[in-house]
Amino acid sequence: MLNVATGTKWVLGNWKMNGRLASNQALLAALLTDAQVNVAHVGLAVPTVYMAQVAQTLSGQPMAWGGQAVSRFAADGAYTGEVSAAMLADLGASFTLVGHSERRQYFAESDEVLSAQIRHAREAGLLPVVCVGEGLAAREAGEHEAVVAAQIDGVIAALQGSERVVVAYEPVWAIGTGLTASLGQIVAMHEKIRACLLEKLASSCTILVLYGGSVKADNAADILALSEVDGVLVGGASLVAEQFSKVCYGAAK
């Protein structure tokens, strides 16, 4: 899962802290009946408490699933409340988000913590999807490229030797604010991210740059049509089957 052909546009949904058993089952049932959604380049990042439900429901299906975060600790032990990469893999996860803007903001996850998460995810056979992005102050000050480049530099050592590196760009100022990044802004930042990664990683490494700033059913097709965008990370729209399906249709074009 998530082992798809080069050039295929990825769609990853992030449920964040949402869901209940009944609504999850109804959403998954709707998605699984759609041939353009239940495919290998579509995945869902789900809350820890619902992983067993999602793992069972998606068992044998092309659609992938993964975690929204992972512990910086690899070994089992006295780390109350933590979920290790090995635990995610044990349930059948194929990826995990790392460094989502909300984790950086609310849980103060540092480059050191994120690097440990990346290393442990890779060791467990999970694909780390590394999130980067700038706030409104940095964007308005013209420091957005420097901020994102620094975030990449902070974890680049943990990505060395990867066959595939996936980075999701989240303009934090465009998440849940009503503000929207223009297509030109998206292209420019994706080009910068790809250049930073190519400069520091082996040329044989496959690099995918996803966009994750308030992706919705009505803007996904235009974003996914950009050659610099390898896929999208979808928040609220991934909780509504009709909206998420429309995003996936945009990826299939």
Side-chain angles (χ1 to χ4, degrees):
M1 287 189 278
L2 285 179
N3 185 22
V4 295
T6 301
T8 302
K9 303 276 184 169
W10 289 21
V11 178
L12 300 183
N14 178 15
W15 287 2
K16 304 190 179 186
M17 196 175 75
N18 294 289
R20 297 293 186 272
L21 288 171
S23 59
N24 297 346
Q25 205 62 36
L27 173 58
L28 292 170
L31 297 178
L32 288 176
T33 61
D34 194 320
Q36 286 188 294
V37 179
N38 186 21
V39 289
H41 59 268
V42 173
L44 298 171
V46 302
T48 304
V49 294
Y50 296 125
M51 285 180 178
Q53 177 192 24
V54 173
Q56 181 177 17
T57 304
L58 297 186
S59 178
Q61 301 291 335
M63 189 186 302
W65 70 272
Q68 299 176 1
V70 67
S71 178
R72 62 175 172 167
F73 304 108
D76 296 342
Y79 306 114
T80 301
E82 290 289 273
V83 176
S84 71
M87 290 175 175
L88 295 182
D90 194 33
L91 280 176
S94 58
F95 70 95
T96 183
L97 304 183
V98 174
H100 189 281
S101 59
E102 292 156 2
R103 300 295 305 180
R104 294 177 188 264
Q105 177 181 355
Y106 300 129
F107 301 96
E109 291 185 337
S110 65
D111 290 341
E112 181 182 5
V113 168
L114 299 180
S115 294
Q117 293 173 349
I118 291 169
R119 287 194 297 270
H120 298 325
R122 292 180 58 195
E123 290 165 359
L126 302 177
L127 176 69
V129 178
V130 183
C131 302
V132 299
E134 82 284 0
L136 183 60
R139 169 61 67 168
E140 291 180 338
E143 298 172 351
H144 47 288
E145 290 191 354
V147 168
V148 170
Q151 290 173 343
I152 293 172
D153 286 345
V155 300
I156 200 69
L159 293 170
Q160 293 289 345
S162 301
E163 293 183 4
R164 172 178 283 168
V165 170
V166 181
V167 171
Y169 167 56
E170 316 173 273
V172 180
W173 51 273
I175 300 175
T177 63
L179 300 174
T180 304
S182 69
L183 297 181
Q185 289 172 324
I186 295 172
V187 168
M189 186 59 84
H190 278 234
E191 289 178 340
K192 175 64 175 180
I193 291 170
R194 200 179 305 276
C196 287
L197 292 170
L198 285 171
E199 179 184 353
K200 299 176 184 299
L201 298 173
S203 58
S204 59
C205 174
T206 299
I207 294 171
L208 299 173
V209 186
L210 315 183
Y211 177 72
S214 294
V215 177
K216 299 180 176 64
D218 61 359
N219 65 12
D222 289 340
I223 294 170
L224 285 160
L226 300 171
S227 60
E228 295 81 2
V229 174
D230 298 309
V232 288
L233 177 60
V234 187
S238 68
L239 298 168
V240 181
E242 182 180 3
Q243 293 185 29
F244 193 59
S245 294
K246 288 181 179 179
V247 174
C248 294
Y249 297 159
K253 290 180 180 180

